[in-house]
Amino acid sequence: MIKDLEIREATLEDLTEITSIFRDTVRAINSRDYSEKQIDVWSSGADDTEIWENRINDLYFIVAEFKNEIVGFAHITKGCNLDGLYVHKNYQRRTIGSKLLRIAESHIMAEGYEVINADSSITSVDFFDSHYFEQIKKQKKSYKGKGFAYSIFSKEL
């Protein structure tokens, strides 16, 4: 558990750290459950800086900071959909993801929604299970020509 963790809204100045966390986490953590080619394609999403800038500018996008270093982030789309939650590869299993999730859930409730939805990689199924989400279904989606298995989760707030 990390004490003195600060959660705040992301700014464009955070872009480099956010995309670095995304790339490094996908390569180090998600590589347990996906092929090398899938990881190469998935992690290359960090290079789409315009998409990341739009997320930061247009979505509810929060970062977790510890000792002036961003160690995780989360963002919400379409009111109640947790579109991304990533924790730095060196800070896994230290309650950062749980804290980001709680703040995201609070924001969603404050917006008047009673449900939170999330698309989950295979790697994060246990995380969502442990936070009382119900797995709605398993699916495959295509990203840059590669197929990815994932699950859709939902939770009443």
Side-chain angles (χ1 to χ4, degrees), residues 17-28:
E17 283 184 274
I18 288 168
T19 55
S20 179
I21 288 170
F22 175 81
R23 180 184 299 106
D24 294 347
T25 301
V26 168
R27 288 182 178 164

Side-chain angles (χ1 to χ4, degrees), residues 144-155:
K144 295 186 178 182
K146 288 284 174 205
F148 291 85
Y150 74 102
S151 294
I152 296 173
F153 281 89
S154 188
K155 174 182 172 181

Side-chain angles (χ1 to χ4, degrees), residues 10-11 16 20 27 29 32 37 41-42 50 54 61 63 71 79 82-83 87 91 93 98 114 126 130 139 153:
T11 67
T16 302
S20 179
R27 288 182 178 164
I29 306 301
R32 297 180 217 154
K37 287 181 181 180
V41 167
W42 187 358
E50 186 175 333
N54 290 339
F61 197 124
V63 295
V71 294
L82 182 64
D83 190 45
V87 174
Y91 289 89
R93 301 195 177 279
S98 297
E114 297 177 357
D126 289 343
S130 71
Q139 283 188 224
F153 281 89

Side-chain angles (χ1 to χ4, degrees), residues 105 109 113-116 131-134 154-157:
E105 288 175 344
M109 285 188 292
Y113 295 94
E114 297 177 357
V115 171
I116 180 172
H131 288 84
Y132 309 104
F133 279 76
E134 179 183 347
S154 188
K155 174 182 172 181
E156 287 187 29
L157 299 174

Side-chain angles (χ1 to χ4, degrees), residues 7-10 18 21 52 55-56 59-64 70-77 81-87 96-105 107 116 127-128:
I7 308 288
R8 63 170 175 79
E9 287 198 48
I18 288 168
I21 288 170
W52 288 100
R55 287 175 179 153
I56 291 168
L59 304 178
Y60 180 71
F61 197 124
I62 54 175
V63 295
I70 295 175
V71 294
F73 66 85
H75 50 91
I76 299 168
T77 62
N81 294 309
L82 182 64
D83 190 45
L85 192 156
Y86 289 84
V87 174
I96 295 166
S98 297
K99 289 177 183 177
L100 286 165
L101 178 60
R102 276 198 312 271
I103 302 271
E105 288 175 344
H107 176 79
I116 180 172
F127 173 81
F128 287 104

